[in-house]
Amino acid sequence: MVLTLPSLLLSLLVLPLLSNAASRTSPPSGAIIVRQNTKTTGEFATIQAAVNSLPSDGSNRSIFIYSGTYSEQVYINRTGALALYGYTTDTTTYASNAVTIVHSSSQASGAASDDATGTLRVHKDDFSLYNINVKNSYGQGSQAAALSAYGNRMGLYASSFLGYQDTLYANQGTQVYGKSYIEGAVDFIFGRQGLAYFEGNTISSIGPGCITASGRETNDTGSYVLNRNTLVLGPTALTGTSGKVFLGRPWGAKGNIISHPTIESQYLNSRVVFKNTQIGAQASASWDPCLNPALWSVWSTSDTRTDNVLFATFQNSGPGSSGVTLPSFATALNASAAAEYTIATAVGSDWESWVDTNFVTGE
Ligand SMILES: *[C@@H]1O[C@H](CO)[C@@H](O)[C@H](O)[C@H]1NC(C)=O
Ligand SMILES: *[C@@H]1O[C@H](CO)[C@@H](O)[C@H](O)[C@H]1NC(C)=O
Ligand SMILES: *[C@@H]1O[C@H](CO)[C@@H](O)[C@H](O)[C@H]1NC(C)=O
Ligand SMILES: *[C@@H]1O[C@H](CO)[C@@H](O)[C@H](O)[C@H]1NC(C)=O
């Protein structure tokens, strides 16, 4: 192609802007640097070392992580705000992420709690994660969390959470998950008191089981609200997954509630709302509808725990959305009832002061 002078000038001016618009390949101003095998003074070779270097005060800090697979378990509990940024050539999607944190731990292999299994354990308020894959590589057979979230005002954006059982432990505090990838098979979005809002994520089932297991311990209106997410059968799904995936089942501890001060009912509450869910990828007409037509499951046939649940759906669409036959404990919301479950009801009316609206709009 022959470039005229004006078009050459135009492309010189415009192309760099376009090509850089969505990348983050160097540290944001003020960020501490993590780089594998670094020999540079002031940089850190592991994420935990960088976290440990931060002052234990209320200052607002950030960490930039260069490309690579970091085999470590990361625990964060400093007081001040913290953002973790992964190197990427496209900040808008998890699909270009170049940073992975991986660790293998499960309760079967000795971890004392779901939290202790987590590859990334966040025990603090005011935390954000951008463009980072977080994986628990234990595999099938036991509780093995990728993320363990215990904090208020946590934003998790364009990241991936990968595991099999109990991948994403939204256990305490308030969190938003935006434009991320969440993969697992058994109870892979779960927790007790956590209040969470999910928008624009791809939720990927790789084996038979329930996507959510909410076990709220109080009779309040807190819930997980999932709005405008896409459910897919994952690329590594086991044969026989089809028809054996449910939106959720009620976690709890019937008859076995040990000295918890806030328990107000015999059966723990379970509250999950799926709105505007795309079931099956839009482009794939041949998508295998893996959801069971009942959509929701009992805890187990001998211990159903369905007495005190809100399991609600509104406006499912996509190739896997037809032929639904809801059980009596589930609710099909009408438009006005569905409108009650918003980002504000999920994580608080102050959400606009801490949520990154490039990833989560609340719409
Ligand atoms: C921390 O700093 C970032 C970047 O300036 C800002 O977006 C964020 O709101 C701050 N967080 C808090 C809790 O002050
Ligand atoms: C963070 O955890 C460590 C180890 O458990 C503990 O000693 C420290 O007091 C905690 N810091 C904060 C701010 O909670
Ligand atoms: C939960 O609270 C609601 C609203 O206050 C009330 O109607 C319901 O009976 C309570 N359920 C239990 C099991 O306590
Ligand atoms: C929508 O559902 C709510 C809750 O069940 C009910 O109170 C309300 O009457 C319904 N509205 C319409 C228009 O059907």
Side-chain angles (χ1 to χ4, degrees):
M1 140 174 132
V2 178
L3 289 175
T4 61
L5 190 58
S7 74
L8 180 62
L9 284 174
L10 192 66
S11 62
L12 285 175
L13 285 170
V14 170
L15 282 178
L17 293 176
L18 287 179
S19 58
N20 288 332
S23 69
R24 185 194 307 109
T25 53
S26 58
S29 160
I32 286 183
I33 295 170
V34 176
R35 192 187 325 238
Q36 285 192 311
N37 307 316
T38 185
K39 298 281 185 287
T40 305
T41 306
E43 295 186 353
F44 296 90
T46 69
I47 300 160
Q48 188 69 58
V51 168
N52 293 349
S53 80
L54 296 171
S56 34
D57 61 15
S59 59
N60 183 354
R61 301 295 175 124
S62 64
I63 294 176
F64 173 77
I65 306 167
Y66 275 100
S67 307
T69 298
Y70 294 79
S71 298
E72 55 176 311
Q73 188 174 28
V74 179
Y75 177 74
I76 308 176
N77 72 342
R78 75 181 296 266
T79 307
L82 178 64
L84 298 189
Y85 295 104
Y87 174 106
T88 181
T89 53
D90 186 351
T91 56
T92 65
T93 170
Y94 64 82
S96 300
N97 289 355
V99 172
T100 298
I101 313 172
V102 62
H103 181 70
S104 172
S105 176
S106 71
Q107 291 201 34
S109 64
S113 62
D114 289 313
D115 172 43
T117 69
T119 297
L120 176 61
R121 301 170 61 206
V122 181
H123 286 244
K124 68 181 298 335
D125 299 332
D126 303 305
F127 176 81
S128 49
L129 185 77
Y130 288 89
N131 302 102
I132 294 176
N133 303 330
V134 182
K135 179 173 185 170
N136 188 319
S137 58
Y138 177 77
Q140 293 179 54
S142 179
Q143 300 91 336
L147 174 71
S148 177
Y150 283 68
N152 289 306
R153 299 176 297 280
M154 287 178 58
L156 303 106
Y157 309 115
S159 290
S160 289
F161 304 99
L162 306 154
Y164 190 88
Q165 178 174 343
D166 293 0
T167 306
L168 193 164
Y169 192 25
N171 195 45
Q172 268 182 33
T174 50
Q175 296 133 33
V176 297
Y177 296 85
K179 293 192 180 175
S180 288
Y181 179 81
I182 304 165
E183 184 180 278
V186 178
D187 305 339
F188 62 98
I189 296 173
F190 79 114
R192 296 284 194 201
Q193 293 100 336
L195 302 170
Y197 177 80
F198 299 79
E199 181 188 298
N201 302 287
T202 296
I203 299 175
S204 176
S205 290
I206 56 168
C210 294
I211 294 171
T212 67
S214 153
R216 297 196 59 70
E217 293 171 337
T218 53
N219 186 20
D220 58 22
T221 56
S223 55
Y224 293 154
V225 173
L226 298 99
N227 183 27
R228 292 196 289 106
N229 298 283
T230 299
L231 311 185
V232 299
L233 193 62
T236 59
L238 301 177
T239 308
T241 301
S242 188
K244 296 191 179 134
V245 172
F246 296 84
L247 296 179
R249 64 173 179 160
W251 191 22
K254 180 194 169 192
N256 186 27
I257 298 166
I258 305 159
S259 64
H260 195 292
T262 56
I263 296 215
E264 292 167 6
S265 62
Q266 184 193 6
Y267 295 86
L268 304 188
N269 294 267
S270 188
R271 296 173 58 86
V272 181
V273 179
F274 275 84
K275 294 168 54 167
N276 309 309
T277 307
Q278 168 83 24
I279 304 178
Q282 211 136 21
S284 156
S286 63
W287 181 78
D288 183 356
C290 64
L291 280 191
N292 185 281
L295 297 188
W296 301 94
S297 171
V298 297
W299 178 254
S300 71
T301 46
S302 60
D303 179 11
T304 60
R305 303 182 186 177
T306 54
D307 302 38
N308 194 18
V309 303
L310 173 73
F311 279 162
T313 43
F314 176 66
Q315 267 185 0
N316 298 332
S317 64
S321 65
S322 56
V324 167
T325 53
L326 288 181
S328 58
F329 57 86
T331 307
L333 299 170
N334 62 34
S336 58
E340 302 287 313
Y341 299 99
T342 64
I343 186 170
T345 55
V347 299
S349 54
D350 68 343
W351 68 273
E352 276 170 300
S353 71
W354 58 272
V355 169
D356 187 335
T357 51
N358 291 311
F359 297 88
V360 170
T361 64
E363 284 157 15

